[in-house]
Amino acid sequence: MSTVTTKDGVEIFYKDWGKGQPIVFSHGWPLSADDWDAQLLFFLGKGYRVIAHDRRGHGRSSQVGDGHDMDHYADDLAAVTGQLELQNAIHVGHSTGGGEVVRYLARHGENRVAKAAIISAVPPLMVRTDANPGGLPKEVFDDFQAQLATNRSEFYRAVAAGPFYNYNRPGAKPSEAIIQNWWRQGMMGGAKAHHDGIVAFSQTDFTADLGKITIPVLVMHSEDDQIVPYADAGPLSAKLLKNGTLKTYKGFPHGMPTTQAESINADLLAFIES
């Protein structure tokens, strides 16, 4: 397996396929690089070099007990891009991975990066505060942590079978294979990383980070996202970015890169080649 060792001794697993301009994919919580299968194969077929890593504590990376915060996530991503000596890269982040990309750009600069896209992403800030009255109550995320600690397997099954892919909507046709693959990826990772990761994705404020970014960024979000509600995420991020473009979808789920891969891949390709 291909890995990079971070400054604090964590082994980060990554996939690196093909040649050409690199596209780097950052996955959502509590998943792994495998969640990008539909994108990796599509862009590989279009002549791009595709790279995806497992976040620390997730998938095949080290199941360490600490460092589960956005600064470490960004630094781990920088370790991968540095070891691979990437230039002119495009970064794509889904959900928590969107936060990782935003923090990476703000913390490590844009000199290696040409463009970025954030999909169903957690910035600017998920939790409700005085400055962010449209956010979700902290109790929502406290409940996530409690369910994870009580029965992680059952909790993950319920997320995948329900709101993540909008399989709880009237008339939805759940895919058992997609549900099981989400559960499989989640259970590969460590409970401590996932428990702490809930705080990282919900309580990190990316407002200042977004304001530092100057490269073109495509913000892709569905109005029917049940995990990261649209009104307090996509439009606000696009407004804070100096060079942001908002692409809004109707009826797509949070996990739209999987269930709506044809549409998402086409829109990503158009943005990258524009």
Side-chain angles (χ1 to χ4, degrees):
M1 295 202 307
S2 300
T3 60
V4 56
T5 303
T6 67
K7 289 177 183 174
D8 60 341
V10 179
E11 284 198 354
I12 302 293
F13 166 85
Y14 66 89
K15 309 176 188 188
D16 180 8
W17 303 340
K19 293 179 170 60
Q21 186 178 12
I23 308 178
V24 185
F25 295 89
S26 292
H27 65 79
W29 175 96
L31 304 171
S32 73
D34 294 354
D35 205 44
W36 290 111
D37 283 354
Q39 285 68 45
L40 297 181
L41 293 173
F42 175 83
F43 285 100
L44 185 65
K46 296 293 182 183
Y48 290 90
R49 178 184 178 186
V50 293
I51 296 138
H53 67 292
D54 290 355
R55 189 168 297 121
R56 66 169 56 207
H58 295 61
R60 290 139 292 204
S61 293
S62 300
Q63 288 200 14
V64 290
D66 56 5
H68 307 298
D69 56 75
M70 283 293 167
D71 285 351
H72 279 89
Y73 296 168
D75 293 351
D76 294 348
L77 177 55
V80 174
T81 61
Q83 175 163 302
L84 297 179
E85 299 181 343
L86 301 183
Q87 298 294 337
N88 197 36
I90 292 127
H91 279 264
V92 180
H94 176 246
S95 196
T96 299
E100 177 179 289
V101 168
V102 166
R103 179 57 55 91
Y104 165 77
L105 291 169
R107 190 169 165 90
H108 293 276
E110 303 172 348
N111 55 346
R112 292 180 179 271
V113 186
K115 292 180 178 180
I118 57 173
I119 308 171
S120 314
V122 298
L125 174 62
M126 281 197 74
V127 74
R128 180 182 298 163
T129 63
D130 290 344
N132 185 47
L136 294 170
K138 183 175 177 292
E139 290 75 21
V140 170
F141 306 107
D142 293 343
D143 182 58
F144 287 173
Q145 287 187 306
Q147 289 187 71
L148 187 154
T150 302
N151 190 332
R152 186 165 66 120
S153 177
E154 191 172 88
F155 175 47
Y156 286 1
R157 170 76 197 190
V159 172
F164 199 92
Y165 295 113
N166 285 0
Y167 287 154
N168 55 350
R169 291 296 195 221
K173 295 179 180 177
S175 163
E176 185 60 30
I178 287 175
I179 294 166
Q180 289 191 17
N181 189 43
W182 198 101
W183 180 91
R184 174 192 69 84
Q185 290 179 72
M187 295 306 294
M188 281 172 67
K192 180 64 162 64
H194 295 168
H195 189 270
D196 293 358
I198 292 168
V199 173
F201 75 64
S202 66
Q203 295 186 28
T204 303
D205 190 342
F206 299 95
T207 303
D209 301 286
L210 290 161
K212 293 177 183 176
I213 298 169
T214 63
I215 58 167
V217 180
L218 179 63
V219 181
M220 309 167 77
H221 218 111
S222 172
E223 292 179 352
D224 198 27
D225 191 320
Q226 296 184 68
I227 304 294
V228 182
Y230 173 83
D232 201 55
L236 300 185
S237 287
K239 192 178 293 185
L240 288 163
L241 288 159
K242 290 183 171 68
N243 197 358
T245 301
L246 178 64
K247 174 71 177 178
T248 299
Y249 301 87
K250 292 186 185 298
F252 285 13
H254 182 70
M256 60 187 183
T258 297
T259 58
Q260 309 292 337
E262 189 174 344
S263 296
I264 298 304
N265 291 349
D267 291 341
L268 274 174
L269 183 65
F271 168 69
I272 289 167
E273 296 188 341
S274 64

